[in-house]
């Protein structure tokens, strides 16, 4: 069947979905590499202020800068922080290009902190090496990216939410279907290569406040990319390695140890005592955090009240103007003052995010997913602990490779009109009903069940109940009801959140051991079992529509580790509590 | 399944005297990553239509007349 004539079709060579961090870099790279190619950057919000770095960033969490760290050291650090389950080649591909990207950004006008000698002022936050580079003027990153997109004449399509990847008969990614978030118009973008840059899946769990949009992640990042990749038949990896972060309680934003740590701040228990050696966000650190939180010495606090006035002012300047600037406003209403009292911390809701943990759509060191022509970069792809700089580097890697893939394809992709029509009907159905279940109610229910049954510590029977409940909710999908296009796009998001919740349960049930500290702490399989589980868990949709997992072996290491190094992240609790 | 309409207190407030949406300004509406700011049909000024806010602040910072104030959503306060 042909594409229905009332659905507009736009042709481009490369389609980039998600205009936050990785997406803008990918789109600009395609043009730099091959100016003949046309590139579209499709964004459900507006590229001017979208994504995790909407208001800029406090610093680079993983800068590999000559003289401070080597790519080999970095690969070791990330291997150990991930309990050995990494594809070192893809971590190395990042590490080797990390410095080049810092210089490119510096060249574009992004300012990083330098010392008196003009050298980058890198700080130690990780357990072993030195990788944190502050950017106190980091509020203008989005503006700088925007200028580059304009310069290279990237076609920008704002306020369209991609909903499904389209494939041609040979199974190559060939564009997407998208829905206008303001008018509910359904459109098709036909492309010769597609790069997914849709960020983390940050709306799977419910924040402690109960506010659906009070998430750690930018809530626009709700797992659309994970669901789209899944339905396109791509593999997802390490999904059971949840993202869980230590945050300011209720505010649910970073505290932030990377800013305050180098200046003398630290994470403390109720007695003001340090209980972890290292504030770098890892599963092992989160497990100690969780234990303290649940103990008689809990809850956990950010301690700054011992610092000098100038230091506190410096911290406030960074924390209250960049990244999450409403932090100061939150403290005002609560009567929090870093000078006089410790500020309560808590753990975040769960999510999928390779930027901070390792969960995401599987990619190799070229940014390729398992679907030909489909690439992935940033928080939604599987390269662990990648953070902002990793999103930029993989955006660039994907841009280069997708440009090549698209240029080598000299057909006009043939699309399946019947699939497009069926998808349009699925998308618009909630708008055509007279009444039913509003998306926010269904979303709340899914996310509440995630908290009740999937938030670690994980328990087999609880996760089975979760799966059963998710499958019951699936039966309710024909009742989803939207009163306007805005609610309709939330209804589409809700369906993707349900997909992600189900994936979180299935992947977690599959791995019958504990690993990555709190991220996959299974009470009924409390030990790490390298014999059976030193591997990636891959999740995908089989041709008959079933959600299944299999084990992907770990590729031979390219950087060897000795036994002492392997243990480094297992000793994060301070030996004897020291008074601050 | 019939539905009810709930009241909810919203975090973002627009000062209608300062807002120049009637002169064509759409800045806050354009930049909001969650698309929750719209034109209020009754007044022609910008307002928050959906209680789905990340308290991220581009709307406030980018407004040319300083008409927008982002408060922390009540459930978090
Ligand atoms: C609060 C916070 C603080 C952080 N602090 C630091 C830090 O100090 N240092 C550091 O290095 N890293 C930090 N990070 C991590 C870093 O910001 C991220 O790893 C990085 O920005 C991710 O880039 P991305 O392109 O994958 O996602 P994003 O930049 O979030 O972009 C994803 C984009 O995809 C769009 N999108 C989603 N779904 C669709 C769809 N269906 N159709 C169209 N568009 C879609 C979204 O609107 C969004 O614009 C922080 C993250 C957060 C949330
Ligand atoms: S940016 Fe300011 S002036 Fe412009 S529409 Fe919004 S509130 Fe009104
Ligand atoms: S604070 Fe952020 S999410 Fe809330 S209205 Fe303003 S721009 Fe939108």
């Amino acid at each position: 069947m042909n594409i229905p004539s009332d659905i507009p079709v736009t042709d481009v060579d490369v389609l980039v979905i998600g205009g936050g961090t990785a997406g803008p870099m990918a789109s600009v790279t395609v043009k730099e590499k091959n100016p003949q190619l046309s590139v579209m950057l499709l964004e459900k919000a507006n590229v001017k202020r979208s994504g995790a770095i909407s208001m800029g960033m406090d610093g680079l969490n993983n800068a590999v800068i000559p003289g401070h760290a080597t790519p080999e050291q970095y690969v070791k650090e990330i291997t150990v922080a991930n309990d050995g389950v990494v594809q070192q080649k893809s971590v190395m591909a990042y590490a080797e290009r990390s410095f080049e990207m810092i210089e490119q950004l510096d060249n574009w006008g992004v300012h990083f902190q330098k010392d008196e000698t003009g050298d980058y002022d890198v700080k130690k936050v990780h357990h072993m090496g030195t990788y944190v580079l502050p950017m106190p003027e980091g509020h203008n990153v989005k503006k700088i990216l925007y200028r580059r997109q304009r310069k290279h004449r990237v076609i920008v399509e704002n306020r369209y939410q991609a909903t499904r990847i389209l494939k041609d008969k040979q199974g190559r990614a060939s564009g997407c279907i998208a829905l206008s978030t303001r008018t509910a118009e359904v459109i098709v973008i036909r492309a010769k290569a597609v790069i997914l840059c849709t960020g983390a899946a940050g709306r799977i769990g419910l924040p402690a406040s109960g506010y659906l949009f009070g998430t750690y992640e930018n809530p626009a990042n709700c797992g659309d990319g994970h669901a789209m990749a899944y339905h396109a038949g791509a593999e997802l990896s390490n999904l059971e390695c949840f993202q869980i972060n230590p945050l300011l309680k209720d505010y649910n934003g970073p505290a932030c140890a990377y800013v305050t740590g180098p200046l003398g701040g630290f994470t403390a228990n109720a007695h003001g005592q340090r209980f972890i050696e290292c504030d770098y966000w890892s599963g092992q650190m989160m497990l100690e955090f969780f234990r303290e939180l649940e103990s008689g010495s809990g809850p956990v606090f950010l301690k700054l009240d011992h610092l000098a006035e100038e230091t506190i002012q410096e911290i406030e300047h960074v924390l209250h103007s960049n990244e999450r600037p409403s932090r100061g406003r939150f403290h005002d209403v609560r009567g929090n003052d870093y000078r006089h009292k410790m500020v309560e911390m808590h753990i975040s809701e769960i999510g999928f995010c390779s930027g901070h943990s390792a969960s995401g759509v599987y990619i190799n060191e070229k940014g390729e997913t398992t679907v030909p022509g489909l690439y992935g970069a940033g928080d939604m792809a599987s390269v662990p602990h990648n953070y902002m700089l990793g999103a930029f580097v993989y955006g660039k890697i994907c841009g280069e490779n997708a440009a090549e893939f698209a240029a080598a394809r000299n057909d006009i992709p043939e699309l399946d009109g019947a699939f497009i029509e069926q998808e349009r009907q699925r998308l618009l159905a909630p708008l055509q009903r007279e009444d039913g279940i509003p998306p926010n109610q269904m979303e709340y229910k899914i996310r509440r069940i995630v908290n009740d049954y999937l938030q670690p510590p994980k328990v087999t029977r609880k996760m089975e109940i979760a799966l059963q409940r998710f499958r019951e909710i699936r039966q309710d999908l024909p009742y989803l009801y939207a009163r306007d296009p805005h609610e309709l796009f939330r209804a589409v998001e809700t369906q993707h959140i349900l997909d992600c919740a189900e994936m979180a349960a299935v992947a977690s049930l599959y791995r019958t051991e504990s690993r990555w500290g709190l991220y996959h702490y299974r009470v009924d399989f409390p030990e790490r079992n390298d014999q059976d589980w030193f591997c990636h868990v891959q999740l995908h949709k089989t041709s008959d529509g079933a959600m299944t997992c299999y084990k992907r072996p770990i590729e031979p290491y390219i950087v060897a580790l000795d036994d002492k190094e392997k243990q480094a992240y297992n000793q994060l609790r301070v030996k004897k509590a020291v008074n601050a | 399944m019939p539905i009810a309409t709930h009241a909810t207190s919203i975090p973002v407030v627009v000062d209608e005297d300062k807002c120049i949406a009637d002169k064509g300004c759409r800045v806050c509406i354009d930049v909001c990553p969650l698309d929750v700011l719209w034109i209020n049909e009754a007044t022609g000024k910008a307002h928050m239509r959906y209680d789905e806010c990340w308290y991220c602040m581009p709307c406030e910072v980018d407004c040319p007349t300083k008409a927008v104030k982002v408060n922390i959503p009540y459930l978090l306060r």
Side-chain angles (χ1 to χ4, degrees), chain A residues 121-241:
Chain A
D121 190 10
V122 199
K123 311 280 186 194
K124 184 166 185 316
V125 174
H126 292 61
H127 203 43
M128 294 149 71
T130 307
Y131 311 100
V132 172
L133 178 57
M135 36 194 298
E137 301 305 319
H139 48 79
N140 56 1
V141 189
K142 285 295 277 187
K143 271 207 182 86
I144 290 168
L145 291 173
Y146 187 63
R147 262 185 246 136
R148 291 281 146 178
Q149 282 152 230
R150 304 222 14 173
K151 179 170 172 230
H152 286 285
R153 276 184 268 132
V154 169
I155 305 161
V156 173
E157 193 74 85
N158 288 317
R159 304 289 173 196
Y160 278 91
Q161 173 193 26
T163 66
R164 283 291 181 271
I165 301 297
L166 295 170
K167 296 200 288 186
D168 68 2
K169 281 212 186 71
Q170 289 84 49
R172 292 172 296 188
S174 300
C176 82
I177 301 185
L179 177 73
S180 159
T181 66
R182 291 190 172 164
T183 66
E185 182 195 28
V186 174
I187 61 167
V188 164
I189 317 293
R190 185 161 46 196
K192 295 176 180 170
V194 180
I195 310 177
L196 278 171
C197 302
T198 48
R203 251 159 73 202
I204 308 180
L206 195 60
S209 67
Y211 188 59
L212 284 179
F213 290 75
T215 45
Y216 168 72
E217 295 292 344
N218 184 325
N221 298 344
C222 62
D224 290 341
H226 299 75
M228 284 190 280
Y230 171 74
H231 289 293
E235 288 180 17
L236 294 94
S237 198
N238 312 323
L239 294 183
E240 70 284 15
C241 179

Side-chain angles (χ1 to χ4, degrees), chain A residues 110-394:
Chain A
V110 180
H111 297 301
F112 302 101
Q113 190 160 303
K114 295 189 177 152
D115 63 17
E116 317 76 60
T117 68
D119 186 18
Y120 291 107
D121 190 10
V122 199
K123 311 280 186 194
K124 184 166 185 316
V125 174
H126 292 61
H127 203 43
M128 294 149 71
T130 307
Y131 311 100
V132 172
L133 178 57
M135 36 194 298
E137 301 305 319
H139 48 79
N140 56 1
V141 189
K142 285 295 277 187
K143 271 207 182 86
I144 290 168
L145 291 173
Y146 187 63
R147 262 185 246 136
R148 291 281 146 178
Q149 282 152 230
R150 304 222 14 173
K151 179 170 172 230
H152 286 285
R153 276 184 268 132
V154 169
I155 305 161
V156 173
E157 193 74 85
N158 288 317
R159 304 289 173 196
Y160 278 91
Q161 173 193 26
T163 66
R164 283 291 181 271
I165 301 297
L166 295 170
K167 296 200 288 186
D168 68 2
K169 281 212 186 71
Q170 289 84 49
R172 292 172 296 188
S174 300
C176 82
I177 301 185
L179 177 73
S180 159
T181 66
R182 291 190 172 164
T183 66
E185 182 195 28
V186 174
I187 61 167
V188 164
I189 317 293
R190 185 161 46 196
K192 295 176 180 170
V194 180
I195 310 177
L196 278 171
C197 302
T198 48
R203 251 159 73 202
I204 308 180
L206 195 60
S209 67
Y211 188 59
L212 284 179
F213 290 75
T215 45
Y216 168 72
E217 295 292 344
N218 184 325
N221 298 344
C222 62
D224 290 341
H226 299 75
M228 284 190 280
Y230 171 74
H231 289 293
E235 288 180 17
L236 294 94
S237 198
N238 312 323
L239 294 183
E240 70 284 15
C241 179
F242 292 168
Q243 152 173 259
I244 306 170
N245 294 332
L247 304 174
L248 292 174
K249 177 125 192 334
D250 299 336
Y251 180 75
N252 222 24
C256 160
Y258 301 173
V259 172
T260 60
L263 296 169
F266 61 88
T267 311
N269 61 21
H271 311 302
Q273 289 166 340
R274 206 189 269 277
F275 62 93
I276 34 178
E277 295 269 6
C278 161
D279 280 328
Y280 178 64
W281 293 6
S282 64
Q284 297 86 342
M285 187 279 254
M286 281 311 304
L287 185 57
E288 297 304 343
F289 192 112
F290 171 77
R291 286 185 176 139
E292 202 71 5
L293 203 58
E294 300 284 300
S295 81
S297 302
V300 172
F301 297 87
L302 171 69
K303 183 169 163 51
L304 302 174
D305 56 2
H306 56 292
L307 301 178
E309 176 61 26
E310 309 83 81
T311 315
I312 300 227
Q313 282 181 18
E314 187 182 341
I315 289 172
E316 283 177 340
H317 171 70
V318 175
L319 290 189
H320 303 174
S321 64
N322 280 348
E323 199 178 286
R324 299 293 280 133
S326 58
R327 271 185 279 226
R329 217 157 271 187
F330 172 78
H331 291 326
D332 287 346
V333 257
R334 281 283 173 98
N336 293 339
D337 185 336
Y338 297 140
R339 289 160 192 81
H340 305 305
K341 65 176 193 186
M342 303 192 296
V343 184
E344 189 183 352
M345 293 178 68
H346 197 63
I347 53 179
S348 69
E349 64 283 357
I350 68 154
F352 298 149
C353 174
S354 63
H356 298 87
S357 75
S359 35
V361 176
Y362 175 82
I363 59 163
N364 63 14
E365 67 279 6
K366 292 164 119 182
E368 296 164 337
T369 69
T370 53
V371 171
L374 184 64
Y375 298 78
D379 284 353
M380 59 80 57
S382 63
V383 184
H385 297 220
N386 230 350
Y387 290 100
M388 181 175 67
L389 201 57
F392 282 135
V393 169
Y394 266 94

Side-chain angles (χ1 to χ4, degrees), chain B residues 3 8 11 24 26 28 36 43 46 50 54 57 63-64 70-72 76:
Chain B
I3 60 158
T8 175
R26 292 291 181 274
C28 61
V36 294
T43 62
Y50 304 92
W54 197 40
M57 290 177 58
C63 169
V70 176
N71 296 302
I72 302 296
L76 280 64

Side-chain angles (χ1 to χ4, degrees), chain B residues 11-12 28 31-37 48 52-60 68 70:
Chain B
V12 173
C28 61
V31 295
C32 173
L34 296 167
D35 211 7
V36 294
L37 303 176
M48 185 171 221
E52 302 167 337
C53 178
W54 197 40
Y55 38 103
C56 50
M57 290 177 58
C59 54
E60 178 176 319
V68 186
V70 176

